[in-house]
């Protein structure tokens, strides 16, 4: 990534009112208190970028889509060795379920072991571009570890607030990677309040998801990458584990931009937002026909990343799900645990609980006909399963005695 490429950001736009904001200035939310979306001169991108040019770029993971990303100067790109995440077919599952072979997009291969690397690489690179020196965020774990890693790399100080039952690996990882790490006795929205109320006094830039305009641009690359990997086609259905919803909104934006630059046609996948029955505000809003979701009381699920009781981008998730003719579905923790164990045993792929939720939702949707058996389906596994507590295993073997091999 040494070459300087042309950049095409034209402005930012309020996702609710369409009000325009200048690029190249520090922003959080719009005046209406809604997320800002980055807009590009897509005619310019269309003239500057071809599919062949992309195919010839061998390095840099998602940085290959630089023309559709907001970082202006290459010197500000903060990288930890991003890779294109693989598409892993699950043929044994297909045989068991008598359906077309589902594909797992395994985001656990990214730096810090999750797709949060995409969003935070962009947020930190933009923070570097703007000269920001102190960032803070609430996190269920993965976003915090990605922010700490990328920010520490360029000397940006970070304050990170997690619910006190966040998976331990994440918390330790954040701290080791240089984040000032706090365990709060509340949920992610409570941690978000701590950031919001402290930011002025502490001089923090608030990097909460969708309150910062560039994480979504990073998450958007999941959609760009998926389309390129499928030969500039899209699957029939995408199942996405939905917390704040940034990835789903980002992919939807990616498909729109790809169509405008002539890389894909108007076809879209059905976007399926997967949540847990213990925290399903988007599912409830979708079922109620509402534009916004209500705060989910007493939110609980062991799939920590999708335990988000209220999301500022709720209306954008709901819009994308509806526009795509998709749906929102909740699965319970037992179904998630069973799906995780089955995928590991059948296919040798260790999903994270959030990824396992998409597999559980897929099985339930095949059973009730919401997904048909011949549809091409992509399941997003957003983190490596190794970041989560695993069930105990292993039988004791006394090797001071003769081993009875026949009994093993
Ligand atoms: C592993 C995992 N899956 C899914 C999500 C939800 O992502 P999003 O905020 O894009 O809905 C998270 C967020 O923390 C996560 O860590």
């Amino acid at each position: 990534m040494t070459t300087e490429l042309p950049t095409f950001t034209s402005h930012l736009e309020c996702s609710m009112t369409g009000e325009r904001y200048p690029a190249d200035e520090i922003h959080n939310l719009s005046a209406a208190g809604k997320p800002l979306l980055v807009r590009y001169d897509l005619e310019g991108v269309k003239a500057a970028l071809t599919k062949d040019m992309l195919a010839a770029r061998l390095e840099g993971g998602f940085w290959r889509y630089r023309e559709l990303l907001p970082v202006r100067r290459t010197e500000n790109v903060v990288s930890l060795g991003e890779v294109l995440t693989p598409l892993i077919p699950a043929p044994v599952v297909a045989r068991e379920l008598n359906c077309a072979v589902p594909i797992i997009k395994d985001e656990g291969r990214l730096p810090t072991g999750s797709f949060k690397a995409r969003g935070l690489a962009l947020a930190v690179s933009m923070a570097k571009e703007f000269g920001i020196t102190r960032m803070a965020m609430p996190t269920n774990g993965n976003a915090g570890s990605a922010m700490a890693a990328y920010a520490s790399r360029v000397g940006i100080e970070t304050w990170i607030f997690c619910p006190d039952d966040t998976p331990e690996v994440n918390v330790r990882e954040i701290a080791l990677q240089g984040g000032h790490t706090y365990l709060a006795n509340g949920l992610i929205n409570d941690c978000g309040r701590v950031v919001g109320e402290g930011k002025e006094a502490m001089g923090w830039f608030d990097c909460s998801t969708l309150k910062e305009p560039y994480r979504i641009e990073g998450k958007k690359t999941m959609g760009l990458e998926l389309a390129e990997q499928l030969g500039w086609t899209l699957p029939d259905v995408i199942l996405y584990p939905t917390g704040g919803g940034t990835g789903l909104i980002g992919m939807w934006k990616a498909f729109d931009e790809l169509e405008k630059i002539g890389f894909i046609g108007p076809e879209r996948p059905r976007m399926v937002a997967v949540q847990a029955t213990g925290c399903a505000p988007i599912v409830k809003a979708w079922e109620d026909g509402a534009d916004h979701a209500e705060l989910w009381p007493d939110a609980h699920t062991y799939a920590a990343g999708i335990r988000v009781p209220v999301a500022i981008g709720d209306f954008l998730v709901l819009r994308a799900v509806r526009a795509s003719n998709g749906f929102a579905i909740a699965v319970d923790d037992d179904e998630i645990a069973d799906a995780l164990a089955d995928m590991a045993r059948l296919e040798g792929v260790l999903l994270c609980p959030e990824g396992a939720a998409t597999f559980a939702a897929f099985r339930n949707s095949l059973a009730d006909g919401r997904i048909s058996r011949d549809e091409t389906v992509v399941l997003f596994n957003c983190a490596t399963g190794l970041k989560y507590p695993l069930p105990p295993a292993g039988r004791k073997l006394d090797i001071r005695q003769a081993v009875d091999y026949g009994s093993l």
Side-chain angles (χ1 to χ4, degrees):
M1 266 164 310
T2 46
T3 42
E4 209 53 70
L5 294 170
T7 65
F8 295 92
T9 312
S10 58
H11 63 282
L12 280 70
E13 187 180 287
C14 174
S15 55
M16 181 69 111
T17 65
E19 189 185 351
R20 289 170 74 107
Y21 292 79
D24 307 307
E25 286 179 11
I26 297 176
H27 294 290
N28 282 112
L29 294 174
S30 71
K34 299 297 175 194
L36 286 174
L37 300 175
V38 181
R39 297 298 181 204
Y40 299 87
D41 162 19
L42 293 172
E43 282 302 316
V45 176
K46 190 173 182 175
L49 186 66
T50 65
K51 294 177 182 175
D52 286 346
M53 282 165 71
L54 273 179
R57 290 179 190 168
L58 298 177
E59 286 172 49
F62 53 76
W63 294 109
R64 70 205 273 104
Y65 307 110
R66 271 290 293 285
E67 286 86 348
L68 287 169
L69 293 175
V71 184
R72 297 281 193 201
R73 289 186 300 283
T74 299
E75 68 193 29
N76 292 326
V77 168
V78 187
S79 169
L80 280 165
E82 298 72 27
V83 294
L84 298 182
T85 63
L87 296 180
I88 306 175
V92 184
V93 164
R95 270 202 302 281
E96 287 239 330
L97 298 178
N98 185 29
C99 62
V101 177
I103 295 169
I104 302 158
K105 182 134 175 85
D106 190 9
E107 295 284 298
R109 317 298 177 96
L110 284 161
T112 71
S114 88
F115 69 157
K116 296 285 176 179
R118 297 181 187 268
L120 274 308
L122 262 297
V124 170
S125 297
M126 291 306 287
K128 183 169 180 244
E129 202 145 88
F130 291 129
I132 288 168
T133 57
R134 294 156 78 94
M135 300 170 81
M137 70 149 59
T139 177
N140 280 325
N142 287 319
S145 62
M147 181 166 88
Y150 282 95
S152 293
R153 198 163 168 77
V154 287
I156 295 176
E157 218 175 341
T158 55
W159 281 260
I160 292 163
F161 301 89
C162 320
D164 54 12
D165 57 354
T166 298
E168 206 167 293
V169 175
N170 273 309
V171 177
R172 295 182 182 190
E173 187 193 0
I174 296 167
L176 276 174
Q177 286 161 184
H180 302 292
T181 314
Y182 293 90
L183 294 171
N185 50 346
L187 296 179
I188 188 163
N189 50 320
D190 304 308
C191 294
R193 185 168 42 79
V194 174
V195 172
E197 289 174 2
K199 66 183 178 192
E200 215 159 300
M202 296 297 289
W204 292 332
F205 177 73
D206 184 346
C207 198
S208 306
T209 193
L210 290 172
K211 290 187 185 163
E212 182 281 342
Y214 305 107
R215 285 174 64 177
I216 182 173
E217 293 304 293
K219 288 269 196 91
K220 179 181 87 179
T221 63
M222 290 190 290
L224 303 176
E225 202 173 293
L226 181 64
E228 187 179 8
Q229 286 172 313
L230 295 176
W232 301 112
T233 65
L234 295 171
D236 294 322
V237 186
I238 291 179
L239 287 101
Y240 182 78
T242 306
T246 317
L248 193 149
I249 303 165
M251 283 193 273
W252 195 245
K253 184 172 188 285
F255 302 149
D256 186 46
E257 291 174 1
L258 286 177
E259 184 181 353
K260 293 206 169 93
I261 66 168
F263 279 29
I264 62 170
E267 314 76 32
R268 293 291 182 273
R270 293 197 288 138
M271 305 297 286
V272 178
V274 178
Q275 298 201 302
T277 48
C279 181
I282 298 287
V283 179
K284 180 168 186 312
W286 183 77
E287 285 171 351
D288 292 349
D291 292 338
H292 287 271
E294 284 163 31
L295 178 108
W296 189 270
D298 184 29
H300 59 89
T301 166
Y302 94 106
I306 53 174
R307 194 180 56 172
V308 179
V310 59
I312 192 162
D314 55 358
F315 65 107
L316 296 171
V317 176
L318 289 161
R319 268 189 209 163
V321 167
R322 290 191 176 117
S324 73
N325 209 16
F327 58 95
I329 176 174
V331 288
D332 70 35
D333 278 12
D334 289 340
E335 291 174 312
I336 295 175
D338 287 347
L340 195 153
D342 289 347
M343 185 64 85
R345 182 176 48 80
L346 294 172
E347 301 280 4
V349 177
L350 189 61
L351 301 171
C352 62
E354 298 83 357
T358 69
F359 180 35
F362 173 54
R363 294 205 283 207
N364 292 354
S365 305
L366 273 182
D368 67 18
R370 289 211 264 184
I371 295 179
S372 56
R373 294 186 186 275
D374 58 354
E375 285 187 295
T376 54
V377 172
V378 172
L379 309 174
F380 268 84
N381 183 50
C382 295
T384 166
L386 294 172
K387 291 185 89 169
Y388 297 78
L390 301 176
R395 279 180 236 147
K396 293 255 188 268
L397 181 65
D398 183 357
I399 54 169
R400 295 201 185 105
Q401 312 284 329
V403 174
D404 175 5
Y405 287 98
S407 73
L408 299 181

